[in-house]
Amino acid sequence: MSKLTDLPKRILIGRALRSDKLGETLLPKRLALPVFASDSLSSVAYAPGEVLLVLSIAGGAAYHYSPWIVVAVAVVMFTVVASYRQNVHAYPSGGGDYEVATTNLGARAGLTVASALMVDYVLTVAVSIASGIENLGSAVPFFVTHKVLGAVVMIIVLMLMNLRGVRESGTIFAIPTYAFVFGVFCMIAWGILRIATGHDMHAPTAHLTIHAESSGIGGFALVFLLLRAFSSGCAALTGVEAISNGVPAFRKPKSKNAATTLALIGLLAVTMLLGIIALAVNTKVRMAENPASDLLDHGRPVGSGFTQDPVIAQVAEAVFGHNSVAFIFLATATALVLFLAANTAYNGFPVLGSILAQDRYLPRQLHTRGDRLAFSNGIVLLAAFACILVVVYGADSTRLIQLYIVGVFVSFTLSQTGMVRHWNRLLRTETDQAKRRHMVRSRAINTFGAFLTGLVLVIVLLTKFTHGAWVAVLGMCVFYATMTAIRRHYTRVSDEIAAEDQPGDDYVRPSRVHSIVLVSKVHKPTLRALSYAKLVRSDTLEALSVNVDPDDTKALQAEWQRRGIDVPLKVLDSPYREITRPIIDYVKGLRRNSPRDVVAVYIPEYVVGHWYEHLLHNQSALRLKGRLLFTSGVMVTSVPYQLESSEVARLRARRRADWNAPGSIRRGPVGSQPRQPERPREH
């Protein structure tokens, strides 16, 4: 089967890479920026819209608060970027927030951060893809009616691209990301120029009015509304933490390159966010959570046939003109970068999963690198979770984003708190004054970061919990409980199988070995099993059969005597025509009578060449092996007998073995195999 899948596998994900090629997959800054920044940069495509959607509850008059809300988001962004620059220098190993929290706050805090990040990574993929489909729908109507299908297909495509490896995906993602940044800055510059020269620009929804759900809102209700809009705008901060988790993917000097990339991300994201919201207010963009009923055209609802385009699409249409080349370019680049924003999670989730697997919080399979030296199992698992979420929520970014950013601000807060304790610990022993001044400055940055992100977390929970954030909290609890249970299982197994310093029962040779050969008829497989059992030279050897049909049993005994087989044949009665239970009871009886003895059971099995032939043979053997597996002190040995069809299959396999798919190679954990000289190519 593996040979049959080799060719399509190589076509989809490329040639397998040797373990010693890992260094060639590391990223320079020009590729690291699109790989790790696509999430943060693309969030400016939907964060302004989320701010306006919340403010629309109070009507269009509340839109004048939006620039101040975005300024507050920008302050948080700069604070988080400055704080995480300290993280990447102090903890460059790639553990990121999880490592910081675990080292400084304890295992429970680390596991809380890990749970929050796992949920956030899944939501990053779901939100980015859903938003990308909606932006693409502004130019391609097909995606308006087929959102879920388009989202699932894009998740799978991104999964395959990431299975090809980080460096290749970075090369692929660089063009759309830089095109998006270029397009947004061109839109902002051209829009400012048109405003300065006195041109009137109007968004497609500028002529509409908003039916306020709560008219005349003020006092505490207004404050709560502004806080809710602020928490929605904080979606622009997602993806910042990915840099601290992805430091090992950078070229040397890793920490310096990661910190530089982080600063660029913050500067670009804040500039674009401020520019888009300013143009949205100037062009009179109108948004509503329920546009069919809350957007009014000359006093009448626009109806269900109205399609509400994202803010960035409306601003681009106002600045560049409907269906202009520049508008289509920016709409396409926005959709692509939103799709590729999920790549941040595709890089962060597998790396974090690998670290957690190494710490025995997740299955060990997540620590294994695939053919392209990426953590393939983690990539596939992330895609599966994201597909489920997209289908459940109908690929609706507005519904999905309510679940968003809870996890990321949990990790922000705990990580920055951990960094404060990190600097406190170092300051207790550091005597160099220059280094102490640097540590004090870093501690001050992280302290302010912990305070501000903690405040935002409280705001997010208060304003979004009943709007869907409870699902994210529930997901974090499920991840936490699951990982705790996995760690408990691995610890229990490790303790149970650990070799003792002093000789115990496992070191003591069994008193005797009782060998049993299971017999149904006297044929070649039975004779082979008997011959093999004799070679083992056990203390006792007997053949065992179950009396299901008296005539067959008599025929078996007669044939046994006629051949003069020198192994005693024991027949077990089975009044209810069962085969498995009498054998199990007999073996357990031997164990009870002689607990220090070992029982070796030999089972003759047919080896067939076709899958459907397995349905016709070896069913009793499979049931027996499954039951005996849980019986202490019992060793089960299958003695194969190859039928003619298996020989045909062997020849087929041999012919396939002579042909290798391009790049076919055995793989294992990096560093586990010595480097071998490459063979010269045959011409």
Side-chain angles (χ1 to χ4, degrees):
M1 183 62 70
S2 62
K3 293 292 180 180
L4 293 175
T5 59
D6 262 348
L7 184 58
K9 185 178 179 182
R10 299 302 162 212
I11 293 173
L12 290 173
I13 68 173
R15 296 170 61 91
L17 297 177
R18 292 168 56 93
S19 297
D20 52 20
K21 299 294 184 183
L22 181 63
E24 298 178 11
T25 66
L26 299 180
L27 299 171
K29 289 192 294 292
R30 69 178 185 278
L31 294 183
L33 183 67
V35 167
F36 292 106
S38 53
D39 184 16
S40 292
L41 297 182
S42 67
S43 62
V44 304
Y46 53 78
E50 295 305 315
V51 172
L52 297 183
L53 281 173
V54 175
L55 292 177
S56 68
I57 295 173
Y63 278 11
H64 70 276
Y65 292 110
S66 58
W68 299 107
I69 291 172
V70 172
V71 169
V73 172
V75 171
V76 178
M77 170 70 84
F78 282 132
T79 302
V80 170
V81 167
S83 299
Y84 270 85
R85 282 170 59 85
Q86 316 308 313
N87 286 39
V88 298
H89 285 296
Y91 293 91
S93 62
D97 294 341
Y98 166 70
E99 183 180 1
V100 173
T102 301
T103 303
N104 298 289
L105 301 177
R108 291 183 178 178
L111 202 56
T112 301
V113 168
S115 304
L117 287 175
M118 300 289 262
V119 170
D120 186 68
Y121 283 136
V122 175
L123 284 167
T124 295
V125 176
V127 171
S128 300
I129 296 296
S131 184
I133 290 292
E134 289 171 357
N135 276 271
L136 194 58
S138 65
V140 184
F142 171 82
F143 291 102
V144 175
T145 55
H146 298 84
K147 291 169 62 176
V148 174
L149 175 63
V152 170
V153 169
M154 280 307 306
I155 289 172
I156 294 173
V157 169
L158 281 175
M159 178 191 75
L160 294 174
M161 291 170 66
N162 278 275
L163 287 174
R164 295 185 68 90
V166 175
R167 184 180 176 86
E168 287 200 20
S169 63
T171 305
I172 294 170
F173 296 166
I175 296 174
T177 303
Y178 286 127
F180 171 72
V181 173
F182 173 77
V184 170
F185 275 102
C186 284
M187 180 184 71
I188 294 171
W190 186 242
I192 293 173
L193 181 62
R194 293 192 67 186
I195 293 171
T197 54
H199 287 81
D200 287 333
M201 298 182 296
H202 298 285
T205 55
H207 66 286
L208 302 177
T209 56
I210 300 174
H211 171 68
E213 295 181 17
S214 303
S215 59
I217 191 170
F220 177 77
L222 177 60
V223 173
F224 186 82
L225 183 70
L226 295 178
L227 290 177
R228 185 182 163 198
F230 168 73
S231 66
S232 294
C234 284
L237 277 78
T238 57
V240 173
E241 79 290 347
I243 295 287
S244 63
N245 293 327
V247 175
F250 284 82
R251 284 185 179 172
K252 295 180 179 179
K254 295 178 182 290
S255 297
K256 181 181 178 181
N257 288 336
T260 303
T261 304
L262 195 55
L264 286 173
I265 290 173
L267 183 62
L268 291 173
V270 167
T271 305
M272 292 192 294
L273 188 63
L274 290 170
I276 290 172
I277 202 70
L279 290 175
V281 172
N282 185 269
T283 58
K284 298 179 175 59
V285 171
R286 296 292 180 262
M287 301 285 288
E289 289 188 337
N290 300 301
S293 58
D294 292 343
L295 288 181
L296 308 179
D297 188 0
H298 300 291
R300 295 181 179 180
V302 294
S304 58
F306 177 79
T307 301
Q308 180 172 263
D309 290 331
V311 168
I312 191 171
Q314 294 193 45
V315 171
E317 186 171 338
V319 173
F320 295 130
H322 181 63
N323 284 339
S324 63
V325 174
F327 169 76
I328 294 173
F329 171 82
L330 183 57
T332 304
T334 302
L336 286 176
V337 82
L338 281 165
F339 292 146
L340 302 182
N343 185 65
T344 301
Y346 274 109
N347 281 284
F349 184 97
V351 172
L352 179 60
S354 171
I355 294 170
L356 289 168
Q358 196 171 12
D359 290 346
R360 300 188 298 179
Y361 284 114
L362 286 177
R364 291 169 182 165
Q365 293 88 331
L366 294 177
H367 184 55
T368 304
R369 291 183 183 268
D371 287 349
R372 302 290 297 178
L373 299 178
F375 295 107
S376 306
N377 294 327
I379 292 171
V380 174
L381 187 63
L382 173 63
F385 283 149
C387 283
I388 292 171
L389 208 56
V390 161
V391 171
V392 170
Y393 282 85
D396 188 337
S397 65
T398 300
R399 293 174 62 198
L400 284 166
I401 210 165
Q402 303 305 320
L403 287 64
Y404 212 16
I405 76 172
V406 176
V408 75
F409 273 96
V410 169
S411 64
F412 282 168
T413 305
L414 289 176
S415 173
Q416 298 314 303
T417 304
M419 286 299 297
V420 172
R421 296 193 67 175
H422 166 79
W423 297 123
N424 286 338
R425 187 176 66 252
L426 293 184
L427 282 168
R428 283 197 294 267
T429 57
E430 184 59 57
T431 57
D432 186 276
Q433 291 302 314
K435 290 183 179 179
R436 286 185 64 85
R437 284 194 297 271
H438 171 74
M439 291 177 183
V440 170
R441 185 175 66 252
S442 298
R443 183 179 63 178
I445 293 172
N446 288 129
T447 301
F448 183 68
F451 166 75
L452 193 57
T453 54
L455 181 63
V456 175
L457 175 61
V458 172
I459 293 171
V460 169
L461 288 174
L462 289 175
T463 59
K464 283 195 165 192
F465 191 82
T466 57
H467 293 270
W470 65 270
V471 177
V473 175
L474 178 62
M476 289 167 54
C477 294
V478 170
F479 268 113
Y480 187 98
T482 302
M483 289 191 287
T484 302
I486 291 173
R487 173 60 183 262
R488 191 180 298 120
H489 167 79
Y490 277 137
T491 302
R492 184 175 67 249
V493 171
S494 180
D495 292 342
E496 190 173 339
I497 65 176
E500 299 175 354
D501 294 333
Q502 299 298 325
D505 292 340
D506 293 327
Y507 290 87
V508 179
R509 184 177 177 180
S511 301
R512 291 182 300 172
V513 177
H514 298 284
S515 292
I516 299 172
V517 179
L518 301 185
V519 175
S520 59
K521 292 182 179 179
V522 179
H523 45 35
K524 291 179 180 178
T526 297
L527 297 176
R528 174 175 290 184
L530 287 168
S531 300
Y532 179 72
K534 290 178 181 179
L535 291 174
V536 178
R537 300 177 183 272
S538 51
D539 295 279
T540 62
L541 173 63
E542 62 181 347
L544 191 65
S545 185
V546 179
N547 182 14
V548 175
D549 186 312
D551 293 336
D552 289 344
T553 302
K554 289 180 181 178
L556 172 63
Q557 291 172 324
E559 181 68 11
W560 201 269
Q561 292 178 356
R562 188 186 70 80
R563 289 179 173 270
I565 299 174
D566 58 348
V567 175
L569 174 65
K570 186 176 186 64
V571 178
L572 303 177
D573 288 328
S574 179
Y576 294 100
R577 299 162 304 285
E578 292 181 303
I579 296 177
T580 305
R581 185 181 296 275
I583 296 174
I584 298 296
D585 291 342
Y586 181 73
V587 171
K588 287 183 176 179
L590 291 176
R591 286 285 300 155
R592 280 194 300 270
N593 295 333
S594 304
R596 294 288 302 277
D597 295 353
V598 168
V599 180
V601 181
Y602 297 88
I603 305 177
E605 288 192 51
Y606 303 133
V607 179
V608 295
H610 302 95
W611 65 268
Y612 53 83
E613 291 180 300
H614 286 281
L615 303 175
L616 308 176
H617 301 284
N618 301 325
Q619 302 307 310
S620 297
L622 286 172
R623 288 195 299 272
L624 269 171
K625 284 192 287 187
R627 293 286 302 276
L628 292 171
L629 191 66
F630 297 96
T631 306
S632 176
V634 177
M635 314 300 171
V636 182
T637 303
S638 295
V639 183
Y641 186 86
Q642 291 76 16
L643 298 178
E644 194 171 317
S645 63
S646 70
E647 180 65 19
V648 175
R650 186 182 68 82
L651 293 174
R652 277 201 313 269
R654 192 171 191 179
R655 285 195 298 270
R656 286 198 301 268
D658 292 337
W659 173 84
N660 288 316
S664 181
I665 189 171
R666 287 184 64 86
R667 64 172 173 80
V670 173
S672 63
Q673 297 176 358
R675 184 169 181 173
Q676 301 291 335
E678 296 186 2
R679 295 180 180 178
R681 295 182 178 178
E682 296 180 1
H683 298 283

